[in-house]
Amino acid sequence: MPDGPLAVALDAVLERITYANEETGYTIARVATERTGADLLTVVGPLLGAQVGESLRLHGRWTSHPRYGRQFEVWSYSTVLPATVQGIRRYLGSGLIKGIGPKMAERIVDHFGTGTLDVIEQQPERLVEVPGLGPKRTKMIAAAWEEQKIIKEVMIFLQGVGVSTSIAVRIFKQYGESSISVVRTQPYKLADEVWGIGFKTADTIAQAVGIPHDSPERVKAGLRYTLSQAADDGHCYLPAPNLTADAVKILDVPPDLVTTCLQELAATEGVVAEDVPAGDNTVPAVYLPPFYRAELSLSGTLLTLLRGGRHAGHDRLKSFADVDWERAESWLHRQTGTELAPEQRQAVRLALTEKVAVLTGGPGCGKSFTVRSIVTLARAKRAKVILAAPTGRAAKRLAELTGHEATTVHRLLQLRPGGEATFDRDNPLDADLVVVDEASMLDLLLANKLVKAVAPGAHLLFVGDVDQLPSVGAGEVLKDLLAAPEIPRVRLTQIFRQAQESGVVVNAHRVNTGRHPVLEGMKDFFLFPCEEPEEIAALTVDVVARRIPARFRLDPRRDVQVLAPMHRGAAGAGALNIALQEALTPAREGMPERRYGGRVFRVGDKVTQLRNNYDKGAAGVFNGTVGIVTDIRPDEHKLTVLTDEDEHVDYAFDELDELAHAYAVSIHRSQGSEYPAVVVPLATSAWMMLQRNLLYTAITRAKRLVVIVGSRRALAQAVRTKGAGRRHTGLTYRLTPR
């Protein structure tokens, strides 16, 4: 709301944030002012980005809340430097300046008094006068102060064009002192280059700096944005009519302008247009270049690997071409104590004689034992075997099942900053057999990187459950492989007797075939019925924090995972994370914590990485990696996470937008992971998300226990709804001989 006749300015120090909504920026905070003294005042409004300890000039108006009384409604704010000794001490001790914590702030202010900030600004070398401050730390403080000054200048400019403080920090991290220039002259570049900034934010900035609504630059950026949104929804391309219609809605410009700009983009290779068969028809497909190139590369490499094995080419497992299979399987029986079922025998032979093969099947059908048998036979012939999976948890499980070392695909390929792989076509993996588990999680781009690294003559086996949700990233590689007649495959369908005793396994198969789960008489599958989202959320927290630990002796943070159909809503992952954090990792006196946007991070928090960051850790930290916060160091502006790959990774406080709490995660984000116990909140408010493969995926993440909390009607809707149609991909077509 713009300043009007009733607008007033209020100078205050931010003492505490009691609530912050990360999506809207709406914040409830407590501040100290000269007039209120020790009594804190409540302020409400868009304060996201302001830090505890900062002196703020708030613009807004006084209001009266029927329940909470007099408070100040903030319309906008700016930061100002404090003038009093107490204010300076609070400001410096808040952790804003790297190298200064509360104790050091006290020493500095005791020494320099009200002149402290002038000394840091103009004579930082004098800081060595303070006991405990050496030249090295003094330099660090001076550099941090300079960076803060530049950030403030950028902030002031960006706030003037409607950008929140948290977004401004990301822009500054990307462009530094060039930030203002980039924002003024190339605002749409932000959507492509700054993580967390989409087209809509860039568009708001562009309009504020005067770029016309019908500018071709805007329309082309909108088309690329529409395609990237489609990729976020899993599509590798969009049919041109769909793309045009979606872009017209987003941009609010005439269709002929969109069509002209699309033709110009295709002519300059900003997009790739190609006719692709879809069913009985052909569609004019429009790709972003990386997805087009990856589809061509992946299909071409797979066919080259496969055909090399069917002719007289090099075969790194040639000893299996004429093996006595009955004798080999008899030896395997003696080694494992278990006999292979007919489908499993077929899968073992296929993996060791075909260069590319797919093994699929649901829970309890023996995929794991089949993989173990393949690995055992290959190693008996001294073959070099590599096992990989898309996530750390899946890799650990694969290693436990096979007794052979396994790694994540990212670590296997040794992805470097920028996402390029150390192992590729020119530097292939030294392996005779590569086995990739949880292959339903493989998106197009990662699958392409992996397959390019398989050496000529090596065998590649994809293992996964095709009925689970497809990958979070674009493509549905496992489904496309199974739809391509060229690719050898085995589907395991027999549920073994031991698995038939598990309610988790039985009900997973029932749900997968559209039948209601059995809820009576199960020792490991329960429904706690309730209707309202708020009631579902409260009961979910009670089940996780109290009931499961008491009855099953499971650790609520390590062993229990809440899997929600969606992020938003009272029973969504976002709200549940706040409630579960309060129950499992509450604030403790004297323990450091760090707020970033709407989140508060504490030692002991379960967190997840939100994007691929190739610069973090020994070999990158990737989207979906889960860990525990083990340390928070305000003086160093850092916290440390112990990941599920047993690596300690440091995060600077300005990098915390990469982390979210993971007490509750969306079912999509749980793919490839397995937990002793899974709790699934099902509310009718998530109606559009209630689909069979979503519920099936959630159930199959559990090793020992599934608890559904929620509406019987929502459960019935999820069971009967088949789910979304196929994604727009061209991989099957490219794998089919023509």
Side-chain angles (χ1 to χ4, degrees), residues 344-363:
Q344 292 176 312
R345 281 202 297 273
Q346 185 190 351
V348 169
R349 295 182 185 191
L350 200 71
L352 296 172
T353 57
E354 291 283 4
K355 294 292 186 59
V356 179
V358 177
L359 170 61
T360 188

Side-chain angles (χ1 to χ4, degrees), residues 382-400:
R382 303 191 181 282
K384 293 176 182 176
V385 180
I386 285 180
L387 303 178
T391 67
R393 278 176 177 262
K396 272 186 180 177
R397 190 176 76 248
L398 185 58
E400 289 163 7

Side-chain angles (χ1 to χ4, degrees), residues 607-675:
V607 293
T608 183
Q609 174 79 10
L610 295 178
R611 70 167 184 135
N612 291 345
N613 187 331
Y614 301 99
D615 299 317
K616 282 220 155 296
V621 180
F622 302 98
N623 186 4
T625 299
V626 174
I628 299 289
V629 177
T630 56
D631 189 24
I632 297 177
R633 304 184 295 288
D635 287 15
E636 298 176 40
H637 278 218
K638 285 180 183 173
L639 63 73
T640 301
V641 173
L642 175 62
T643 72
D644 54 10
E645 295 177 56
D646 298 322
E647 182 181 11
H648 286 92
V649 179
D650 285 339
Y651 289 81
F653 284 168
D654 62 2
E655 296 176 316
L656 296 183
D657 55 348
E658 296 188 17
L659 290 177
H661 292 97
Y663 300 100
V665 298
S666 69
I667 296 169
H668 274 92
R669 289 190 72 81
S670 73
Q671 288 171 269
S673 297
E674 194 175 63
Y675 316 94

Side-chain angles (χ1 to χ4, degrees), residues 24-93:
T24 64
Y26 179 80
T27 303
I28 302 171
R30 303 278 280 164
V31 301
T33 68
E34 282 187 17
R35 286 173 57 191
T36 56
D39 295 329
L40 298 183
L41 170 74
T42 298
V43 298
V44 298
L47 279 168
L48 212 58
Q51 299 290 336
V52 170
E54 281 191 307
S55 294
L56 306 175
R57 179 153 294 148
L58 308 172
H59 297 274
R61 66 176 180 180
W62 291 99
T63 62
S64 182
H65 190 280
R67 183 172 171 188
Y68 300 110
R70 194 165 185 252
Q71 56 190 29
F72 191 80
E73 181 187 328
V74 179
W75 297 344
S76 65
Y77 78 92
S78 57
T79 57
V80 293
L81 293 177
T84 65
V85 165
Q86 185 182 356
I88 294 168
R89 184 182 292 122
R90 184 89 172 83
Y91 177 71
L92 288 181

Side-chain angles (χ1 to χ4, degrees), residues 188 191 197-207 225 229 250:
Y188 292 107
I197 295 185
F199 170 78
K200 290 179 182 175
T201 303
D203 199 34
T204 302
I205 297 168
Q207 306 226 10
Y225 165 72
Q229 285 291 99
I250 291 165

Side-chain angles (χ1 to χ4, degrees), residues 65-318:
H65 190 280
R67 183 172 171 188
Y68 300 110
R70 194 165 185 252
Q71 56 190 29
F72 191 80
E73 181 187 328
V74 179
W75 297 344
S76 65
Y77 78 92
S78 57
T79 57
V80 293
L81 293 177
T84 65
V85 165
Q86 185 182 356
I88 294 168
R89 184 182 292 122
R90 184 89 172 83
Y91 177 71
L92 288 181
S94 68
L96 279 167
I97 308 300
K98 204 176 287 185
I100 304 179
K103 289 181 182 174
M104 186 53 70
E106 204 159 319
R107 283 192 215 162
I108 294 171
V109 177
D110 285 349
H111 189 81
F112 294 113
T114 53
T116 296
L117 299 182
D118 287 333
V119 169
I120 297 174
E121 168 87 31
Q122 294 163 15
Q123 300 171 286
E125 67 279 358
R126 283 191 61 198
L127 289 171
V128 294
E129 297 172 19
V130 179
L133 268 183
K136 187 177 175 184
R137 203 159 170 199
T138 296
K139 276 184 185 172
M140 183 171 78
I141 292 168
W145 181 265
E146 278 304 307
E147 186 178 66
Q148 280 294 319
K149 266 176 57 187
I150 297 166
I151 289 175
K152 293 294 180 201
E153 288 173 22
V154 173
M155 298 284 186
I156 290 165
F157 170 75
L158 291 174
Q159 281 181 356
V161 294
V163 178
S164 72
T165 309
S166 56
I167 293 290
V169 169
R170 291 180 194 171
I171 292 171
F172 180 80
K173 279 170 69 177
Q174 180 72 26
Y175 302 113
E177 294 180 39
S178 306
S179 298
I180 293 173
S181 168
V182 170
V183 169
R184 273 202 180 111
T185 60
Q186 299 172 285
Y188 292 107
K189 196 175 174 185
L190 303 176
D192 294 329
E193 296 182 354
V194 181
W195 182 74
I197 295 185
F199 170 78
K200 290 179 182 175
T201 303
D203 199 34
T204 302
I205 297 168
Q207 306 226 10
V209 298
I211 290 180
H213 186 74
D214 60 355
S215 156
E217 179 192 358
R218 176 175 182 264
V219 176
K220 288 174 186 176
L223 282 162
R224 287 195 299 270
Y225 165 72
T226 306
L227 284 171
S228 68
Q229 285 291 99
D232 288 345
D233 290 336
H235 301 296
C236 297
Y237 70 81
L238 277 182
N242 302 34
L243 172 58
T244 302
D246 291 349
V248 165
K249 269 189 216 168
I250 291 165
L251 296 165
D252 190 24
V253 295
D256 58 343
L257 176 59
V258 172
T259 302
T260 301
C261 289
L262 180 55
Q263 288 167 350
E264 289 175 10
L265 268 178
T268 57
E269 298 184 351
V271 298
V272 178
E274 181 185 286
D275 288 342
V276 170
D280 296 330
N281 303 311
T282 298
V283 298
V286 183
Y287 288 83
L288 287 171
F291 297 104
Y292 179 75
R293 289 195 294 265
E295 223 173 62
L296 281 181
S297 171
L298 176 57
S299 57
T301 309
L302 283 170
L303 290 174
T304 300
L305 284 172
L306 188 61
R307 288 165 182 166
R310 289 182 178 166
H311 305 303
H314 173 49
D315 188 348
R316 294 182 66 145
L317 290 180
K318 62 185 176 188

